[in-house]
Amino acid sequence: MTKPLHIKSPPATHRIQWSAARGFVAGLALLVLALPAAAEDYPADSAIAWQDWDSQLFEESQARERPIFFYFHGQWCTWCRDFQDESLENPDVVDTIDQHYIPVLVDLDERADLFRRYGGRGLPFVVIVNSDDEMLTRFTGHVNARDLQNILVAQRDMFSVTGREITPDDAAIDDLEAFMEMLDEVYDARADRLSGSATFGTLSKRPQPWTYRFLLTAEGWRDRMPGLLDQIAEDLYDEVEGGFFFFHDPDQRDPVLALETSKRLDQNAAFLWLFSEAHDTTGDERYAEIARGIRDYLQARLWDSRQLRFGNSQYADRDYYQLDPETRTQTDPPRVDRNTYADTSGQAIAALANMARVLEDRDTLEWAHEALRALDRYLQTEQGYLHGITAAGRPAMEGYLPSQIWPEIARQELARATEALDGERPEMPDPLAALDRLEAFFNEELGAHAERIGTDLEPWSETRTQAALAWWLYRLPDAAIEESHIDRNMVRERLRIEPGADPDDVALGFDALRRGF
């Protein structure tokens, strides 16, 4: 069957004042070694006149009568480099973009809000919108130069982000029973994977660690889980250096091309949590070994012991990971993105605390405490957390909801682990203060907390963030929630998975529901 596109599938008004952190950030800038852009960092040497994101782009689009070509990328992403070299920089494509579009380059990690807002699932991700911000085209994956040129000329085709077109008959899943039915539908016993394509895309290409964690204690899944866990470890775990690679495509015949070798902090945090709890649930020591391997990887590669903060990812490098173990130890490893983000760092700290509790590991617990104290110094202000800070000490984005939630989840998990190991729960900050800081995000028209504030974009909410919010709330005292501005029912109503989304988007929220939120 001939497909129309040849796509190499990849794995998606209130300003917070940061003056309280300005002195610390300024001091940090004097300590940080400013890292020059490496030769391979895009858009170095690009023939395209890329612009940065700015809300004034839509006025420019209207004045010049040109649509906006958003390209979301990551420096760590192999598929992005291939797409850039083979398609974007093709002379015909460059000419068409130059003559008919406003090209905007967006780093996924620095502007995760925009990536999610436009429906991003994986990289590379292209979105074309008109001056009214109405979507004309979007696609995920490495589209070849010829097909990309056809898309640019047509300016009209909408391509599925998941590899499957959504139909009007497709409905969202908004309850636990339907969620479990969907997971049962996509379970492939022969492959030991969640690999059905049904309503929710081709799951085999995108690992679902939060969903696996949800299924560890789900009825009817106990006998299935060892096979699923062993297979995903075989697909993605790095036996030499520890840590999990980004994704594996079991349908790709070339084993080198099948593996995306970047390693991300957020995904490794999720896998650390998964395998720690898999050990706790099954008693299998192999899962504890994998958890320790992830912890050791985070400490050796992504943790900066001098600045006490996490880098966000390690670049992909197919050639490096093809080397034999001895040669690897004598070869410089792939670069690490030293930008630090509050949400992904919070996920890592929470996962380390959870591991420390399960494996009774006091050294890991102390490291997690140290990491949260440093994160608070770097990014916490009276109004909330900044999204991040670059390697050179520049603050990156204000008013991002996930950056408010995950450090608080980390605080909860640290208290839980400390109580388990010491027998006494440490004194916690008043949770009402943290909840009050979320009030600026609440939007009456949405009936939910907006993903961003302090932006000209229309407010919107994301299921993944609402799920994390529910998971944070279910462990808070009832009295604190009742005294706050938060309506539990409104949060519950946001726990739904739309067609084309990943189960991982909602798994934490459904776990909270299952536990009584």
Side-chain angles (χ1 to χ4, degrees):
M1 179 177 177
T2 302
K3 297 181 179 180
L5 287 179
H6 306 290
I7 299 180
K8 299 177 183 177
S9 298
T13 60
H14 174 85
R15 286 181 62 85
I16 293 180
Q17 302 299 319
W18 57 281
S19 56
R22 187 175 291 144
F24 185 80
V25 172
L28 170 69
L30 297 176
L31 295 174
V32 175
L33 296 176
L35 298 175
E40 71 270 17
D41 279 359
Y42 199 72
D45 301 322
S46 174
I48 299 172
W50 293 108
Q51 297 189 40
D52 294 328
W53 161 262
D54 189 290
S55 59
Q56 302 302 313
L57 285 166
F58 298 102
E59 293 180 11
E60 180 183 351
S61 173
Q62 184 175 32
R64 298 176 64 187
E65 297 183 342
R66 293 186 177 192
I68 303 171
F69 179 96
F70 288 115
Y71 169 45
F72 292 85
H73 76 128
Q75 301 292 3
W76 44 267
C77 170
T78 301
W79 296 105
C80 296
R81 293 203 293 269
D82 291 346
F83 177 59
Q84 288 150 191
D85 293 343
E86 299 170 17
S87 300
L88 276 179
E89 298 299 328
N90 177 276
D92 291 338
V93 171
V94 171
D95 287 345
T96 301
I97 290 176
D98 180 60
Q99 294 174 31
H100 301 289
Y101 288 87
I102 298 172
V104 179
L105 186 68
V106 188
D107 183 281
L108 158 64
D109 295 311
E110 190 162 339
R111 293 308 306 264
D113 61 323
L114 294 176
F115 179 74
R116 293 288 181 186
R117 180 180 185 272
Y118 285 112
R121 312 305 307 173
L123 293 180
F125 181 49
V126 168
V127 178
I128 300 175
V129 300
N130 62 20
S131 59
D132 294 323
D133 201 18
E134 296 171 339
M135 196 175 299
L136 305 177
T137 296
R138 69 176 178 179
F139 61 84
T140 302
H142 178 179
V143 177
N144 68 35
R146 181 191 62 197
D147 285 335
L148 178 57
Q149 178 73 349
N150 290 338
I151 292 171
L152 293 173
V153 171
Q155 283 189 19
R156 59 181 172 78
D157 292 325
M158 174 74 78
F159 298 100
S160 169
V161 180
T162 63
R164 174 188 178 277
E165 293 300 331
I166 306 304
T167 72
D169 293 332
D170 292 330
I173 290 175
D174 58 6
D175 65 77
L176 278 169
E177 183 178 354
F179 185 60
M180 293 302 302
E181 288 177 358
M182 183 271 290
L183 293 176
D184 190 64
E185 177 187 347
V186 300
Y187 171 65
D188 185 341
R190 292 173 299 177
D192 279 319
R193 293 186 176 97
L194 299 181
S195 57
S197 55
T199 304
F200 291 87
T202 306
L203 300 182
S204 58
K205 292 185 175 67
R206 291 193 296 266
Q208 309 288 324
W210 291 118
T211 303
Y212 278 34
R213 175 190 168 275
F214 174 88
L215 291 172
L216 278 173
T217 55
E219 184 178 353
W221 284 80
R222 180 172 181 175
D223 293 338
R224 296 173 173 183
M225 288 311 300
L228 287 167
L229 293 168
D230 292 346
Q231 185 61 60
I232 204 166
E234 181 181 332
D235 288 342
L236 294 173
Y237 184 63
D238 183 356
E239 295 281 359
V240 178
E241 296 176 49
F244 273 70
F245 296 115
F246 189 39
F247 85 99
H248 174 269
D249 181 358
D251 298 323
Q252 169 60 251
R253 294 182 179 180
D254 186 334
V256 176
L257 296 179
L259 186 65
E260 167 57 90
T261 58
S262 54
K263 296 179 180 179
R264 292 183 52 83
L265 180 63
D266 54 353
Q267 194 177 75
N268 271 279
F271 276 115
L272 175 58
W273 204 309
L274 168 64
F275 279 93
S276 297
E277 294 205 352
H279 169 71
D280 196 30
T281 302
T282 68
D284 192 326
E285 185 59 29
R286 166 64 177 159
Y287 301 148
E289 291 175 5
I290 291 175
R292 294 187 185 99
I294 301 170
R295 181 223 29 218
D296 293 347
Y297 166 75
L298 294 178
Q299 194 161 45
R301 291 284 185 258
L302 298 188
W303 177 247
D304 186 325
S305 59
R306 184 169 64 88
Q307 296 181 27
L308 306 181
R309 60 177 175 136
F310 286 104
N312 201 54
S313 60
Q314 186 174 24
Y315 286 26
D317 189 329
R318 290 172 182 152
D319 294 336
Y320 175 82
Y321 290 108
Q322 290 300 305
L323 299 173
D324 63 81
E326 183 176 354
T327 306
R328 264 214 236 176
T329 62
Q330 301 170 10
T331 305
D332 289 338
R335 288 181 57 199
V336 170
D337 170 11
R338 288 297 172 191
N339 296 330
T340 296
Y341 297 101
D343 56 339
T344 57
S345 294
Q347 291 173 45
I349 295 165
L352 289 168
N354 182 66
M355 174 196 166
R357 177 185 60 81
V358 169
L359 299 184
E360 299 182 356
D361 184 339
R362 292 184 179 276
D363 289 341
T364 296
L365 180 61
E366 180 51 42
W367 174 28
H369 274 294
E370 179 182 54
L372 183 60
R373 289 192 294 266
L375 187 68
D376 287 347
R377 292 197 303 273
Y378 280 119
L379 295 176
Q380 190 179 34
T381 75
E382 290 183 2
Q383 289 77 22
Y385 285 86
L386 304 175
H387 174 47
I389 187 169
T390 67
R394 177 175 60 84
M397 197 166 73
E398 306 166 348
Y400 186 41
L401 185 59
S403 296
Q404 318 312 313
I405 294 172
W406 276 104
E408 299 305 332
I409 292 175
R411 213 177 308 280
Q412 285 179 329
E413 292 303 323
L414 280 168
R416 185 181 178 207
T418 301
E419 182 179 20
L421 270 60
D422 295 343
E424 184 176 343
R425 190 170 182 84
E427 184 177 348
M428 292 281 287
D430 180 6
L432 186 59
L435 294 175
D436 285 348
R437 286 192 288 270
L438 292 191
E439 190 166 6
F441 288 83
F442 188 76
N443 183 280
E444 291 285 352
E445 292 184 8
L446 281 178
H449 294 83
E451 191 78 356
R452 279 293 315 280
I453 55 176
T455 175
D456 294 335
L457 296 170
E458 288 294 316
W460 79 99
S461 68
E462 294 286 350
T463 297
R464 183 176 288 257
T465 306
Q466 300 298 317
L469 174 61
W471 200 38
W472 172 31
L473 293 175
Y474 100 84
R475 281 198 182 137
L476 289 180
D478 290 341
I481 299 175
E482 291 167 2
E483 192 175 345
S484 75
H485 69 284
I486 292 176
D487 182 336
R488 292 172 191 261
N489 289 328
M490 286 188 175
V491 178
R492 293 187 188 109
E493 288 172 3
R494 290 284 159 170
L495 301 180
R496 51 191 291 119
I497 177 171
E498 300 291 341
D502 286 343
D504 258 26
D505 288 349
V506 78
L508 287 175
F510 279 159
D511 190 29
L513 288 181
R514 182 173 62 176
R515 295 170 186 267
F517 170 67

